[in-house]
């Protein structure tokens, strides 16, 4: 029963609402050591949050009452916790060195993946012209795209010689054209990633790419040679024309947005090599172990999940910004949008009742310092208060120390500014020091005052490696899991994406054949008419 604990948190929130973090820091020089945890390879500083020890104690009680640890153990044991689809949730088994009932099939696919990687890396994967393939065009969307793309950008420094990876996700063929214009048909391996092999965008892009290859090569069988499929629907991949030796399997117990660790990571393994890919798995496994074994009050995903709940459900802060101060993680906000919003963007409980409370936050973000010159104005002075995650690395992969120092100074300054703010008195003093006096001070001071007391976590690692990336992503996966358990929702289905897909299939023939849509609202029908008239 979580209700009494929920109630206590509501009462606690009314006491905490006006507590100033600035004050908490002034009163307690040990606040950082109290509210930060290092679990290798990650340090999380959560001291710049509107919490005191009692807040966390109450939140841990809430987690105990919601049986977070029991559910966590069920997930790791492969119990069917995805209740609407009657599936296990076993992405953690993909990175575990410990034998589980799925280890055999996972190892087998990883070995097949390794053989294909070696073939490409050793220049033995030949095109229809007998030239070695070196360009990799990945076609997939959602979980079959966001993870490989993010990791590919994050780990460019580990790229094998002579391999270029390109991604095509959107059905908008401007993107496909852009990529096909960059590659030569005799250089290119196409990797189609689709768990279902039925996703409209992916099959449309794959069909057009296959047609392009056939036309350019003049050889029908070029698709057999130069296409790979990652899918759990091998029958569809075969009937598409892909050689069965080039089909890597996926499993129904891995959700799309949790699938980077599976054969979905194949393009990444092609790019950075199998050993580095295994490094990613090792990093994620380290976080899995931490999540499984650390007590609640030392457990990073639990603490991050609970602090998120504290803001969303008790302090009415419904958004969350992800701010990686590292260009290599520029796609992390997009990746976490799917991970978090597709998992916890739900409004009914596991039993199908309306929750009656807020659930998953709106996630957005941008790599620092770009975001500072765009939406940080709102983060500092806007009406909504948006808790932020800052993410940074001590050592860059480049040699320009001055740039890196500026980058990290900006990151620390942002979180400090959000927390401290600048009071009206301080603003007036500042204006006075600039010889601004009289009415100008009165006019400007309200605009130049920063309310502060805006919360953030800071996540730091020594450097960005396959291992640290694996650990960071697993940290977020488990954070999302913890929140889903507390909200009593199923974080592992995504039925909200279905209706749009169904309607697309009805609208498409109306767009193409000038047919009236039966039962269309007048807005949709008029827009169809407008498009038809104007195209
Ligand atoms: O957006 C819905 C979704 O089903 C995601 O969950 C999934 O990652 C994506 O589409 C792609 O699905 P598939 O891998 O089957 O092509």
């Amino acid at each position: 029963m979580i209700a009494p604990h929920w109630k206590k948190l509501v009462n606690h929130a009314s006491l905490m609402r006006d507590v100033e973090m600035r004050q908490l820091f002034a009163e307690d020089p040990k606040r950082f050591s109290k509210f930060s945890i290092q679990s290798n390879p990650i340090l999380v500083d959560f001291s710049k949050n509107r919490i005191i020890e009692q807040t966390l104690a109450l939140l841990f009680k809430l987690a105990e009452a919601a049986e977070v640890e029991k559910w966590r153990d069920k997930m790791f044991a492969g119990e069917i916790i995805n209740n609407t689809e009657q599936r296990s949730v076993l992405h953690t088994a993909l990175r575990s060195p410990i034998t589980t009932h799925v280890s055999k099939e996972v190892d087998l696919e990883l070995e097949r993946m390794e053989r294909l990687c070696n073939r490409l890396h050793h220049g033995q994967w030949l095109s229809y012209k007998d030239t070695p393939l070196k360009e990799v065009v990945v076609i997939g969307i959602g979980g079959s795209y966001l993870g490989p793309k993010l990791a590919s950008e994050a780990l460019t420094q580990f790229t094998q010689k002579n391999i270029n990876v390109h991604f095509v996700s959107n059905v908008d063929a401007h993107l496909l054209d852009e990529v096909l214009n960059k590659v030569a048909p005799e250089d290119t391996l196409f990797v189609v990633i689709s768990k279902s092999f039925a996703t409209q965008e992916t099959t449309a892009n794959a069909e057009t790419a296959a047609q392009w290859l056939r036309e350019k090569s003049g050889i029908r069988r070029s698709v057999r040679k130069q296409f790979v499929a990652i899918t759990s629907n091998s029958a569809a991949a075969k009937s598409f024309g892909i050689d069965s030796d080039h089909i890597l399997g996926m499993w129904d117990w891995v959700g799309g947005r949790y699938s980077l660790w599976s054969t979905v990571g194949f393009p990444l393994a092609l790019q950075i090599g199998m050993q580095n890919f295994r490094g990613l798995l090792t990093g994620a496994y380290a976080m899995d172990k931490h999540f499984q074994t650390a007590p609640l009050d030392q457990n990073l995903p639990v603490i991050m999940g609970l602090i998120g709940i504290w803001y969303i459900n008790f302090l009415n802060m419904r958004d969350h910004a992800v701010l990686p101060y590292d260009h290599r993680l520029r796609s992390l906000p997009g990746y976490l949008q799917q991970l978090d919003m597709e998992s916890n963007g739900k409004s009914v409980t596991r039993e199908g009742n309306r929750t009656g409370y807020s659930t998953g936050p709106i996630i957005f973000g941008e790599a620092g310092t770009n975001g500072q010159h765009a939406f940080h104005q709102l983060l500092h002075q806007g009406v909504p208060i948006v808790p932020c995650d800052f993410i940074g690395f001590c050592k860059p992969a480049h040699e320009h120390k001055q740039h890196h120092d500026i980058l990290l100074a900006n990151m620390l300054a942002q979180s400090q500014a959000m927390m401290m703010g600048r009071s009206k008195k301080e603003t007036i003093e500042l204006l006075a020091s600039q010889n601004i006096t009289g009415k100008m001070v009165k006019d400007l001071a309200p605009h130049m005052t920063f309310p502060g007391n805006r919360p953030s976590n800071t996540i730091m690692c020594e450097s960005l490696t396959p291992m640290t990336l694996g650990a960071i992503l697993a940290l977020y996966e488990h954070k999302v899991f913890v929140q889903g358990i507390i909200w009593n929702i199923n974080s592992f289905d995504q039925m909200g994406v279905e209706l749009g897909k169904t309607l697309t299939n009805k609208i498409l023939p109306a767009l193409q054949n000038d047919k009236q849509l039966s039962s269309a609202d007048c807005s949709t029908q008029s827009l169809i008419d407008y498009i038809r008239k104007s195209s």
Side-chain angles (χ1 to χ4, degrees), residues 141-144 194-196 199 202 256-257 338 342 494 497 501:
I141 198 162
S144 295
S194 178
K195 184 175 165 186
S196 59
T199 301
T202 302
R257 53 194 175 274
Q338 191 204 18
E342 203 167 78
Q494 56 284 320
V497 302
K501 290 183 188 173

Side-chain angles (χ1 to χ4, degrees), residues 384-399:
I385 298 183
V386 184
C388 302
D389 286 350
F390 290 92
I391 302 167
F393 300 89
C394 304
K395 293 184 195 158
H398 59 67
E399 310 259 289

